[in-house]
Amino acid sequence: MKNPPAKPSQLISKEFARQLNVNYNTKKASLRAGKEEKEDANAIWYSLEELENYIHYIKTNGAKDGYNVDGIRFYFGVYPDDEKHGEKAGLTTLFLVPTGKKAENNAQTQSFALMREASSDIESLEPMNYGNIGRPPSLIY
């Protein structure tokens, strides 16, 4: 490989990831204690193609809407408990929302604006949902 990618600074150890997953499963189980419910998801999967397509979509359409798209925020959610959502009703989901800042015309103004303004959700672009929770829904890392 000619130009290998830089190692991301946010990497965590497999052991710490495992502990985070155990903590989530334990906390989630205590919230559901005593309730007879279907098994909930504790992991969501998106293909690289889906993620790359979404990133391309938000960069392109964000620019059209006048934004510098700079990231994706991941939100946890729970599907409404109704028939419309079928087997997903009442279960955990994860959805992605693009973040960024309004683009400025002046480069000097833009660099100043980027320093003082935090990224916020871009409400003009649609969030992405419907990753695959797998079967069974709960996985152990």
Side-chain angles (χ1 to χ4, degrees):
M1 189 180 262
K2 216 174 200 179
N3 291 319
K7 186 174 182 178
S9 62
Q10 303 92 336
L11 298 180
I12 60 174
S13 71
K14 292 175 187 168
E15 293 76 18
F16 186 56
R18 195 169 293 114
Q19 184 61 55
L20 292 174
N21 186 245
V22 167
N23 290 350
Y24 179 83
N25 293 336
T26 304
K27 300 276 186 202
K28 186 85 169 156
S30 69
L31 291 174
R32 296 183 323 158
K35 297 179 185 176
E36 288 187 32
E37 292 186 30
K38 48 193 166 183
E39 189 178 10
D40 200 1
N42 68 351
I44 309 289
W45 181 86
Y46 291 97
S47 71
L48 287 177
E49 184 178 349
E50 289 169 323
L51 291 172
E52 289 169 344
N53 186 54
Y54 187 62
I55 290 168
H56 179 67
Y57 168 80
I58 63 176
K59 281 182 165 182
T60 301
N61 290 293
K64 285 180 190 173
D65 289 351
Y67 284 93
N68 290 321
V69 177
D70 62 8
I72 297 174
R73 186 168 282 119
F74 292 76
Y75 283 96
F76 294 103
V78 174
Y79 287 104
D81 217 354
D82 60 37
E83 291 178 17
K84 178 182 171 188
H85 292 90
E87 64 181 16
K88 293 182 179 185
L91 297 181
T92 300
T93 188
L94 183 72
F95 60 95
L96 290 60
V97 175
T99 64
K101 300 173 191 76
K102 268 293 194 187
E104 300 281 344
N105 295 333
N106 179 320
Q108 187 176 7
T109 306
Q110 184 176 0
S111 64
F112 177 71
L114 292 176
M115 291 187 322
R116 65 179 169 82
E117 186 181 320
S119 290
S120 57
D121 294 356
I122 301 174
E123 295 182 14
S124 64
L125 298 175
E126 297 90 346
M128 179 174 162
N129 192 9
Y130 304 114
N132 185 341
I133 62 173
R135 298 284 175 259
S138 256
L139 301 171
I140 303 298
Y141 177 77

